Amino acid sequence: MSWLARHRRLAFAAICTFWTAVVFVGHFFPTLPFISIPWRGEQSFEDLLRTEGRKTATRGDFIFLGIDQQSLQLDAVGPEEIAGNRAFELMTERPFPWSREIWVLLLDRLFGAGARLVIFDVVFNNPNDDDPAFRAALDRYHARVVVGMNIDTQNNTQIVLPNTQLIPPPAETDDRVGFVNYWNDELDGKLRAARFFTSERQLAGVAPVPGDEVYTSMSARALTKLGRSADIPQDQRDHLFRFSSNDAYPPFPLWQVFHPAFWKANYADGAIFKDKVVIVGASSQIQHDFIVTPLNPATPGPAVHLQVIAATEAHEFLRQTPMRVMLGLVLAAGIIGWGLIPLLRRPILSLFSLIAITMIYLAIARLAYDRSGFLLASVPVLSTLLLCGVSTLGIDYAIERMEKLRTRRTLERYVSKNLVKEILENPRGYYNSLTGSRMPATMLFSDIVGFTTLSEKADEKELVRQLNEYLTAMTEVVFQNDGTLDKFIGDGIMAVWGNVKSQGMAKDAKAAAYAALGMRRELLRLNNGWKTEGRMTLGMGIGINHGQVLAGNIGSQDRADLTVIGNAVNLAARLEGLTRIYGVDILVGTSAADLIRDEFHLRSVARAQVKGKTEPVDVFTVVEARTAALDQELLIWLETYEEGIRKFRDRDFTQAKILFSRFLEFYPDDSLAKMYLERSLEYEQTPPDKAWNAVEVFEKK
């Protein structure tokens, strides 16, 4: 990781080169799993643009007459309506395909109503009744009718033409005949492009040559008869076109054209067909003439023909990004992904920049599609950008985390963990605090009892090793409870809560109390281990106080420490010294006790006036947290002890003596109860003067 930190840009360049190469390989080897996903995803993105983007305008002069299920069964018409209606009689004589006379009747009716062009999306390849009459109609309306032919590529590219009784040979060159085929995408079977001309050589996969017999599509024949031949692409390529909306050309039931009531009500006696282009074709499920498009998995074939004609007239063809440009964009995306992260060097800003670039690019792609029909390559380009950007961002973040962790571990050898955390995560707030400010804080002082005497007797190396074990365990407890290690004072520890980052006065004081209890448990654990090893055991005193302090970077110009000073700090240090006098390991001042008593069992110790203070304070010791499993009998007898303290301070020494005696019957080794029993007996015999207020004044530290 240190090598990466030193050669950050080189590492990022290697990562971005790798991802760019992966995307490039996916283009040239589209069958490779996973690697080709961006390029296959590009087609899905283009389909999304087709679905959500601008559509070819729906033509109001295009009508789709559908051979639907009702037209095939004619179950909506009664016998009395069929009788005398020649079209209905022909439609009920036999199943589809009906007698060709039906199409003669249809042409006469549509052109009689003023239709501009009639297109049959039907291949009349088999002979049928009344072919001569239908041929006469096709000849009569030669300039205004188009019929279909089919190129059967499934059976050795057979050309299926209208039968010779309708269109004399060569039918494929007749301007009324055009192929109905579209060639769907080989990968997913969807139709996206239209081909207006083709040849057998092209269909066989051989390059076309001059002189080939060229077949014309039905849509090209229709456009020519509409006078729009100049709009038709004069080549044999597949042309991507902009689809119309799904509901652009809904099918009108064919049978209704022959029903007098519907002809009048729905078609205004044929006026609706005036100057219209009408396509006749299948719309029922049973005829299976449906095409899968990006917009609809079941688009009726005749509707697709109308969409192609509409798109051609409106020049709504789509252009894809040239391959060289596409690969250039992929390369540019890799370069941007490489340079963005080192340039910004801020993870959040880099991430938002990647998102912003992606969103802007997608917006440009949408605008390009809607405005000019240009399919801007997006998925491979953005995949490269995001793969490079996110990878370099992840590596950069990991490097930063490792560097910060290394810095944190180095600093934590010298200062408190939460102070290091504040410096690294909130440097502005930390540096502002260095100027000095008054704030409430909770201080904890701890010291080893009788360490000076121990140091004179113990082996120096052994003592240092044992002291380091002790200090390591105690400072770890401070850190676990979010305290700041202010300093080591020889074998003593000064810790503070609330100066670096406060959680509130009560929570700070409670955290200090939990730390004191943790230090008590850790010392017990250490002593048990030392005892089994034959080493000396240690005692400890802890003083806790809460109050206003002056916090800041205090010291000389050459060396300063982030510390706290003030009377509340001094009192905490004095309380630690009083633990020897009262025989307890933890003493808590009044202000701290008021903040923690709802979560801890406290025991009154004394009313003391320490050196340097003019006012006495009530001092307590911490028994245990209220959530801890504590002997309930002890809690009951502690109430007796507290009542004894109250009687003692009220000068009722006889009653105090009785209460302390009762307590000692169950806890005979309790030093505080013994002390107060002795004083109660003394004051019972020799009462103090009237100025006595149960305050003990200490003239020494």
Side-chain angles (χ1 to χ4, degrees):
M1 192 60 71
S2 59
W3 184 91
L4 282 177
R6 292 195 305 271
H7 303 87
R8 189 187 305 254
R9 285 184 175 272
L10 183 60
F12 290 172
I15 292 170
C16 293
T17 301
F18 169 77
W19 285 123
T20 305
V22 166
V23 176
F24 266 71
V25 169
H27 168 68
F28 293 105
F29 299 94
T31 58
L32 287 176
F34 303 111
I35 294 179
S36 60
I37 287 177
W39 299 96
R40 285 186 273 121
E42 176 64 17
Q43 191 172 74
S44 298
F45 176 73
E46 292 177 359
D47 286 348
L48 179 63
L49 288 176
R50 291 181 173 96
T51 303
E52 302 296 332
R54 184 169 68 83
K55 311 292 191 301
T56 295
T58 301
R59 292 285 297 268
D61 58 342
F62 287 2
I63 295 178
F64 172 20
L65 281 181
I67 306 173
D68 61 345
Q69 198 66 26
Q70 286 190 340
S71 297
L72 295 173
Q73 296 178 348
L74 212 62
D75 51 6
V77 180
E80 67 282 356
E81 294 176 298
I82 295 175
N85 188 316
R86 182 57 181 164
F88 288 164
E89 290 175 350
L90 293 171
M91 295 170 74
T92 55
E93 277 181 0
R94 64 184 179 195
F96 188 85
W98 307 305
S99 168
R100 298 274 159 79
E101 185 183 350
I102 194 72
W103 306 123
V104 178
L105 296 174
L106 179 64
L107 287 176
D108 288 339
R109 174 154 284 210
L110 294 177
F111 287 125
R116 185 180 180 188
L117 179 69
V118 176
I119 306 168
F120 285 99
D121 186 14
V122 182
V123 180
F124 301 106
N125 56 310
N126 294 317
N128 203 327
D129 297 343
D130 293 307
D131 273 350
F134 188 30
R135 174 175 178 170
L138 293 176
D139 290 340
R140 186 164 60 253
Y141 303 117
H142 187 286
R144 295 190 289 169
V145 68
V146 177
V147 298
M149 60 176 271
N150 182 43
I151 302 175
D152 187 358
T153 56
Q154 302 297 322
N155 296 292
N156 298 321
T157 315
Q158 293 184 14
I159 309 301
V160 183
L161 298 166
N163 72 75
T164 56
Q165 295 185 50
L166 296 179
I167 307 291
E172 59 269 25
T173 61
D174 193 296
D175 66 356
R176 294 170 293 178
V177 180
F179 63 81
V180 298
N181 306 74
Y182 292 103
W183 283 269
N184 297 357
D185 193 296
E186 293 181 357
L187 291 177
D188 59 6
K190 292 182 180 179
L191 173 69
R192 297 181 177 87
R195 188 183 304 174
F196 297 91
F197 302 96
T198 191
S199 65
E200 291 189 27
R201 290 178 62 86
Q202 181 185 21
L203 295 172
V206 181
V209 296
D212 280 352
E213 183 177 3
V214 176
Y215 305 122
T216 305
S217 71
M218 189 167 68
S219 56
R221 294 295 192 194
L223 286 162
T224 301
K225 289 184 179 293
L226 292 171
R228 304 302 296 264
S229 58
D231 300 324
I232 304 170
Q234 300 297 314
D235 55 50
Q236 298 182 30
R237 294 187 295 109
D238 288 328
H239 294 268
L240 299 172
F241 66 95
R242 193 190 301 274
F243 286 90
S244 304
S245 60
N246 282 328
D247 57 353
Y249 306 109
F252 290 85
L254 174 66
W255 68 273
Q256 292 183 0
V257 174
F258 300 110
H259 195 290
F262 285 105
W263 178 255
K264 180 177 182 180
N266 293 355
Y267 303 110
D269 285 327
I272 195 172
F273 293 106
K274 184 174 177 57
D275 296 325
K276 298 296 195 298
V277 175
V278 182
I279 190 167
V280 181
S283 63
S284 65
Q285 293 288 341
I286 196 171
Q287 292 175 296
H288 305 296
D289 188 11
F290 292 95
I291 297 176
V292 180
T293 70
L295 277 68
N296 187 352
T299 305
V304 172
H305 291 303
L306 293 180
Q307 293 192 39
V308 170
I309 295 170
T312 306
E313 285 197 23
H315 301 282
E316 292 285 10
F317 291 108
L318 306 178
R319 295 171 293 116
Q320 289 185 307
T321 306
M323 190 50 58
R324 297 173 109 186
V325 175
M326 189 181 298
L327 295 177
L329 288 173
V330 170
L331 180 61
I335 294 173
I336 293 173
W338 166 71
L340 186 66
I341 310 305
L343 177 66
L344 298 179
R345 293 299 304 274
R346 301 176 74 176
I348 298 298
L349 180 60
S350 299
L351 181 61
F352 278 112
S353 297
L354 284 173
I355 295 173
I357 292 172
T358 301
M359 298 305 294
I360 292 171
Y361 193 93
L362 290 174
I364 292 172
R366 173 64 183 269
L367 286 173
Y369 177 81
D370 286 347
R371 298 284 180 85
S372 64
F374 182 67
L375 293 167
L376 178 64
S378 299
V379 177
V381 176
L382 294 179
S383 295
T384 305
L385 173 69
L386 294 177
L387 285 170
C388 294
V390 172
S391 297
T392 53
L393 181 60
I395 296 296
D396 188 60
Y397 180 74
I399 292 172
E400 293 292 338
R401 292 287 296 176
M402 292 298 295
E403 289 180 346
K404 186 177 286 188
L405 182 61
R406 185 168 63 249
T407 303
R408 183 191 295 268
R409 287 176 177 172
T410 302
L411 290 174
E412 284 174 354
R413 296 176 59 188
Y414 304 99
V415 295
S416 173
K417 287 185 178 180
N418 66 334
L419 177 57
V420 174
K421 181 179 180 181
E422 187 69 12
I423 293 173
L424 295 178
E425 296 182 3
N426 185 24
R428 182 175 299 178
Y430 166 72
Y431 289 121
N432 289 340
S433 70
L434 297 181
T435 57
S437 59
R438 290 200 172 274
M439 61 181 65
T442 301
M443 285 63 63
L444 180 150
F445 283 83
S446 74
D447 201 3
I448 296 176
V449 177
F451 182 75
T452 303
T453 304
L454 292 173
S455 62
E456 293 175 354
K457 299 178 181 179
D459 177 74
E460 292 84 354
K461 292 183 179 179
E462 178 64 25
L463 181 62
V464 170
R465 184 166 74 91
Q466 190 169 1
L467 181 60
N468 285 339
E469 288 183 32
Y470 165 81
L471 292 175
T472 299
M474 297 304 120
T475 52
E476 184 62 31
V477 172
V478 171
F479 294 154
Q480 288 173 358
N481 290 276
D482 299 322
T484 300
L485 178 63
D486 189 288
K487 60 176 68 72
F488 291 114
I489 310 171
D491 61 303
I493 297 172
M494 176 183 173
V496 186
W497 281 260
N499 63 330
V500 175
K501 188 174 183 180
S502 176
Q503 299 181 20
M505 292 189 297
K507 287 189 176 182
D508 290 340
K510 291 172 183 176
Y514 280 117
L517 292 176
M519 295 167 79
R520 174 191 285 171
R521 289 190 293 271
E522 279 297 298
L523 183 61
L524 177 61
R525 181 185 65 80
L526 290 172
N527 280 334
N528 289 336
W530 292 332
K531 190 181 296 184
T532 58
E533 295 172 7
R535 299 157 70 185
M536 63 180 180
T537 59
L538 302 177
M540 176 181 65
I542 298 174
I544 298 175
N545 191 46
H546 177 85
Q548 288 288 326
V549 299
L550 176 62
N553 207 24
I554 298 172
S556 67
Q557 290 184 349
D558 297 326
R559 178 174 174 80
D561 292 322
L562 180 65
T563 188
V564 292
I565 57 175
N567 288 331
V569 181
N570 297 335
L571 179 56
R574 302 289 188 272
L575 292 177
E576 185 278 320
L578 293 182
T579 57
R580 283 83 162 160
I581 295 174
Y582 292 113
V584 294
D585 58 349
I586 302 173
L587 283 180
V588 181
T590 305
S591 56
D594 291 340
L595 293 172
I596 69 173
R597 64 176 67 252
D598 62 325
E599 284 191 25
F600 296 86
H601 295 292
L602 301 181
R603 182 179 179 186
S604 299
V605 174
R607 186 170 287 160
Q609 181 178 329
V610 300
K611 179 177 175 58
K613 297 284 286 185
T614 59
E615 295 293 330
V617 293
D618 287 334
V619 181
F620 304 84
T621 187
V622 180
V623 180
E624 187 55 86
R626 292 186 182 273
T627 56
L630 198 62
D631 182 7
Q632 294 300 310
E633 188 175 349
L634 172 61
L635 295 178
I636 295 172
W637 283 107
L638 282 177
E639 294 179 5
T640 301
Y641 170 85
E642 292 295 333
E643 181 64 22
I645 292 291
R646 287 191 289 272
K647 294 297 183 182
F648 179 82
R649 292 174 179 175
D650 291 341
R651 306 174 69 95
D652 189 351
F653 301 117
T654 301
Q655 191 62 35
K657 173 189 67 176
I658 295 171
L659 293 170
F660 290 129
S661 298
R662 288 178 182 173
F663 183 85
L664 287 168
E665 288 178 8
F666 292 91
Y667 303 97
D669 297 327
D670 188 82
S671 59
L672 286 175
K674 285 181 180 180
M675 180 187 72
Y676 277 108
L677 177 60
E678 291 174 0
R679 292 182 182 180
S680 296
L681 290 170
E682 178 186 348
Y683 290 153
E684 184 182 28
Q685 298 297 323
T686 308
D689 58 37
K690 294 182 179 180
W692 180 85
N693 56 3
V695 175
E696 294 188 62
V697 180
F698 296 92
E699 299 296 337
K700 296 182 180 180
K701 293 184 179 179

